[in-house]
Amino acid sequence: MRRMEELNIVMKERLKKAEIFEQEGIALYPNHYKVDHKLSDVVEKLKDRTAEELEEAKERFCVAGRIMAIRSFGKSIFMHLQDDRNRLQIYLQKDRVSEDQFNFAKRVDIGDIVRVKGIAFRTKTGELTILVEDFVLLTKNLRPLPEKFHGLKDVETRYRQRYVDLIMNDFVREVFRKRTKIIQTIRQFLTERGFMEVETPMMQIIPGGATAKPFKTHHNALGIDLYLRIAPELYLKRLLVGGFERVFELNRNFRNEGISTQHNPEFTMLEFYQAYATYEDLMRLTEELFVALCDAVNKGNKQIIYQGESINLSPPWRVYQFMESLVEIGKLPEDKITTLDGTIELAKSLGIPVERYEGHGKLLTKLFDIVVEPKLIQPTFITHYPLEVSPLSRKNDENPDLVDRFELFIAGREIANAFSELNDPRDQRERFIKQIEAKQAGDEEAHEMDEDYIRALEYGMPPAAGEGIGIDRVVMLFTDMPSIRDVILFPHLKPEKKGD
RNA sequence: GGGCCGUUAGCUCAACAGGUAGAGCAGCUGACUCUUAAUCAGUUGGUUCGGGGUUCGAGUCCCUGACGGCCCA
């Protein structure tokens, strides 16, 4: 049901005008007009031509765009047309177009989409301009755009009506162009290295592969509950069992948790798996990937500025073992963190709530989140995580309490998580059982048993390493955006009004 | 979930110490053939987020709810 809305004065005027146009036989939404050139291509092509060169060439162009500004005189009119990338000025003189078209051009509104044909030239002030010979309406605007100088600032409106945000704010269009470029670059990078892109279920019977609360839905015909995936991990590893040696999936995950500047309920994740590789191989691959991203969206410059901090992405990146980072970066006393009692004491002194089901490893990661993570501004790999918090990772050969895993941190945030994969089905079953015990003790996020996954491992999964990278955070990094909402086209917000 | 801040014209913002709700842009009318935040003259437009309360009087104070931002958990 559409909400009835009081029409403001401007909209009333526009509707009235639209009716008059129709009575005059002017189509408001015609679809048969073609263009010869994209507006931005004309700007790109001619931007360095001098006034004399343009005068000499007298080249004609037919372009379309949205009217963003009108400066109207008695017998001449200037307008700015905009497409997704550029703005181009057009100039109408009364004696250069038909009288009907000139009179019509006098009555169009900011926000209308029009097509013009004309000759490119430079004005006295040197601005590239099309001298119009033909002017037609393509789409009538009925709703006034935000003010031309201050634009649209209100963040709520920007997120709820992203289409207006995109019209008004050039930097927003740039952010999303960069986002697309980053995703394309990642696909190309992996494909060139023999990875195959695959699609695995978004609706899963057992939500696995991560520790998070899932969204629940229901399949009517089957009469079963399904969960939106929190990760594709266990399906991708089934493909390793099946014989695909390098696979990746770059798509949405869903986690039923709070919304913040770092979290959207649906977010984009890259996961890739490589047989016959270790987590250390993936450290090198990750460094190479970021270099490729610098080439693609940062002109090859490996220095980026994020929220005022200068970050150097040149490899090799520094590496700390998990325990080492707590002592050296977190400045925690080594003798305390090596014992459970000492760790509980430290946690309590830092105001961290300690749950009964949380073991030593889990508590250490809570300490890490507070005392180490925010300090990891420059790219840093943290390795050798506790077994307890890594139910799908391969045990370290030297120390069975640790796993062959790393996480990557940049700008004080977790960007990637990777490990050598646990492929011993007997060990995996034990790990699942431990998780179930944690769940029974109250850990809502603990992993569930997945018998089919165990069955797959029993057929034999080749030794492999896998990694997940949070794409939204990578985009934030490369676009210098402080909130995940700034890099997601339509971020989740509460509904604006109760239904009527 | 908690704390702080915010919500006023289509947009960006004012409104002292509680005393008739304003400006710029946009819109409308008119003038103007190289302007670019065009200019000049005139002019329309308000459920001050919703609901209660205090008061002679509430955009402003109090209570409550909605939505948003930032921080914390």
Side-chain angles (χ1 to χ4, degrees):
Chain A
M1 184 75 188
R2 229 175 98 188
R3 189 163 52 88
M4 289 307 287
E5 191 179 10
E6 288 288 318
L7 291 184
N8 67 60
I9 281 283
V10 183
M11 288 191 68
K12 281 180 188 158
E13 288 289 344
R14 299 238 163 140
L15 282 166
K16 202 168 80 188
K17 201 183 271 185
E19 278 178 29
I20 293 170
F21 284 166
E22 281 194 315
Q23 282 164 17
E24 292 176 10
I26 296 168
L28 302 182
Y29 304 100
N31 190 223
H32 62 280
Y33 291 107
K34 308 293 181 198
V35 297
D36 295 341
H37 297 84
K38 185 174 160 52
L39 186 148
S40 281
D41 293 343
V42 173
V43 174
E44 290 298 321
K45 183 179 173 193
L46 302 182
K47 64 173 189 242
D48 296 324
R49 303 273 182 87
T50 65
E52 293 74 28
E53 285 164 350
L54 291 173
E55 178 64 27
E56 182 86 10
K58 279 204 165 42
E59 224 178 324
R60 281 192 167 72
F61 297 94
C62 176
V63 299
R66 188 186 296 274
I67 299 172
M68 296 303 289
I70 300 175
R71 293 174 294 281
S72 180
F73 300 79
K75 289 170 183 164
S76 67
I77 311 167
F78 289 91
M79 297 183 191
H80 269 116
L81 301 190
Q82 172 178 287
D83 75 354
D84 54 11
R85 201 178 284 271
N86 279 304
R87 284 188 180 193
L88 175 61
Q89 182 169 257
I90 64 169
Y91 179 41
L92 288 101
Q93 282 187 323
K94 193 170 170 51
D95 48 16
R96 300 296 291 253
V97 290
S98 73
E99 196 174 343
D100 282 353
Q101 285 198 349
F102 189 81
N103 290 336
F104 170 66
K106 280 240 140 188
R107 293 182 293 164
V108 296
D109 292 302
I110 290 172
D112 288 351
I113 298 171
V114 297
R115 188 199 74 170
V116 302
K117 286 184 194 170
I119 297 169
F121 76 109
R122 279 190 193 279
T123 61
K124 275 182 192 165
T125 53
E127 180 164 350
L128 179 66
T129 303
I130 300 290
L131 180 59
V132 175
E133 296 172 331
D134 185 66
F135 184 92
V136 294
L137 179 69
L138 298 189
T139 301
K140 185 76 199 88
N141 164 289
L142 298 178
R143 197 176 276 270
L145 292 180
E147 193 230 337
K148 61 186 170 189
F149 189 60
H150 297 91
L152 179 63
K153 285 207 162 68
D154 182 75
V155 281
E156 191 175 346
T157 311
R158 286 187 46 221
Y159 296 149
R160 286 194 198 282
Q161 301 182 41
R162 183 68 91 182
Y163 37 92
V164 184
D165 191 27
L166 288 164
I167 292 171
M168 297 308 296
N169 292 317
D170 296 351
F171 83 91
V172 175
R173 294 199 300 278
E174 182 58 26
V175 163
F176 289 105
R177 268 199 295 273
K178 241 181 192 176
R179 183 185 172 108
T180 295
K181 187 76 188 163
I182 285 167
I183 288 170
Q184 286 172 341
T185 302
I186 292 171
R187 283 210 157 89
Q188 189 184 342
F189 177 91
L190 290 170
T191 305
E192 280 170 357
R193 283 162 181 75
F195 287 84
M196 179 171 89
E197 182 167 12
V198 296
E199 294 169 278
T200 67
M202 297 242 178
M203 294 195 289
Q204 303 179 345
I205 291 172
I206 300 166
T211 51
K213 290 178 205 159
F215 285 94
K216 192 176 183 178
T217 184
H218 187 77
H219 192 294
N220 292 339
L222 296 182
I224 53 168
D225 287 333
L226 289 168
Y227 299 89
L228 300 187
R229 73 176 182 198
I230 53 177
E233 173 158 354
L234 298 185
Y235 284 94
L236 290 169
K237 289 199 285 201
R238 283 172 170 99
L239 296 178
L240 291 178
V241 172
F244 291 127
E245 295 181 355
R246 296 185 180 198
V247 293
F248 76 96
E249 186 160 9
L250 204 177
N251 216 316
R252 224 68 62 78
N253 286 352
F254 308 85
R255 296 188 183 173
N256 205 342
E257 291 163 359
I259 295 179
S260 77
T261 52
Q262 307 296 314
H263 300 89
N264 196 58
E266 54 181 307
F267 61 99
T268 302
M269 183 82 141
L270 165 69
E271 285 200 15
F272 56 96
Y273 292 81
Q274 179 175 351
Y276 315 117
T278 68
Y279 76 105
E280 286 169 308
D281 296 322
L282 297 190
M283 288 162 80
R284 300 289 83 76
L285 191 71
T286 304
E287 288 170 342
E288 286 173 31
L289 174 62
F290 273 75
V291 168
L293 291 175
C294 288
D295 288 342
V297 300
N298 205 40
K299 301 186 173 88
N301 188 354
K302 289 166 195 70
Q303 200 81 25
I304 59 171
I305 304 285
Y306 185 72
Q307 301 296 295
E309 302 253 27
S310 182
I311 294 170
N312 185 356
L313 296 172
S314 304
W317 298 336
R318 59 181 185 164
V319 183
Y320 284 92
Q321 293 201 5
F322 179 76
M323 290 302 276
E324 185 185 31
S325 76
L326 287 170
V327 175
E328 289 188 20
I329 298 170
K331 306 293 178 205
L332 296 180
E334 193 167 3
D335 56 323
K336 286 257 166 71
I337 59 172
T338 45
T339 68
L340 176 60
D341 288 346
T343 305
I344 291 174
E345 193 186 311
L346 274 175
K348 285 184 170 162
S349 75
L350 287 166
I352 301 169
V354 178
E355 303 291 342
R356 199 172 314 139
Y357 54 80
E358 290 172 335
H360 191 199
K362 175 72 179 173
L363 289 175
L364 289 174
T365 61
K366 283 186 156 186
L367 290 173
F368 177 92
D369 289 349
I370 291 173
V371 302
V372 181
E373 182 168 327
K375 291 182 185 162
L376 301 179
I377 304 301
Q378 300 305 319
T380 308
F381 290 117
I382 302 293
T383 65
H384 295 78
Y385 274 79
L387 177 78
E388 181 193 338
V389 295
S390 316
L392 303 167
S393 306
R394 184 182 189 280
K395 273 180 196 160
N396 183 267
D397 285 337
E398 270 108 60
N399 184 344
D401 293 329
L402 302 178
V403 291
D404 288 344
R405 172 182 174 188
F406 74 79
E407 288 200 7
L408 167 66
F409 296 86
I410 305 175
R413 288 174 196 160
E414 182 194 339
I415 298 293
N417 177 25
F419 37 87
S420 298
E421 301 298 339
L422 171 57
N423 63 344
D424 178 342
R426 301 162 306 168
D427 188 0
Q428 183 65 73
R429 180 180 293 280
E430 277 175 37
R431 305 274 194 102
F432 277 148
I433 289 168
K434 283 255 166 57
Q435 288 290 304
I436 290 162
E437 284 166 9
K439 191 152 215 157
Q440 281 163 353
D443 185 354
E444 287 183 71
E445 297 189 339
H447 223 289
E448 286 184 44
M449 174 62 77
D450 189 333
E451 288 289 353
D452 178 70
Y453 179 65
I454 302 281
R455 179 166 63 189
L457 293 187
E458 286 165 353
Y459 280 98
M461 181 173 88
E467 177 166 348
I469 298 181
I471 297 303
D472 306 288
R473 290 181 182 181
V474 172
V475 176
M476 286 167 71
L477 210 54
F478 278 101
T479 55
D480 194 18
M481 287 293 122
S483 169
I484 195 169
R485 294 185 196 100
D486 294 320
V487 301
I488 291 175
L489 280 165
F490 299 100
H492 284 281
L493 299 175
K494 288 192 191 178
E496 50 190 320
K497 289 253 163 66
K498 287 153 281 190
D500 51 353

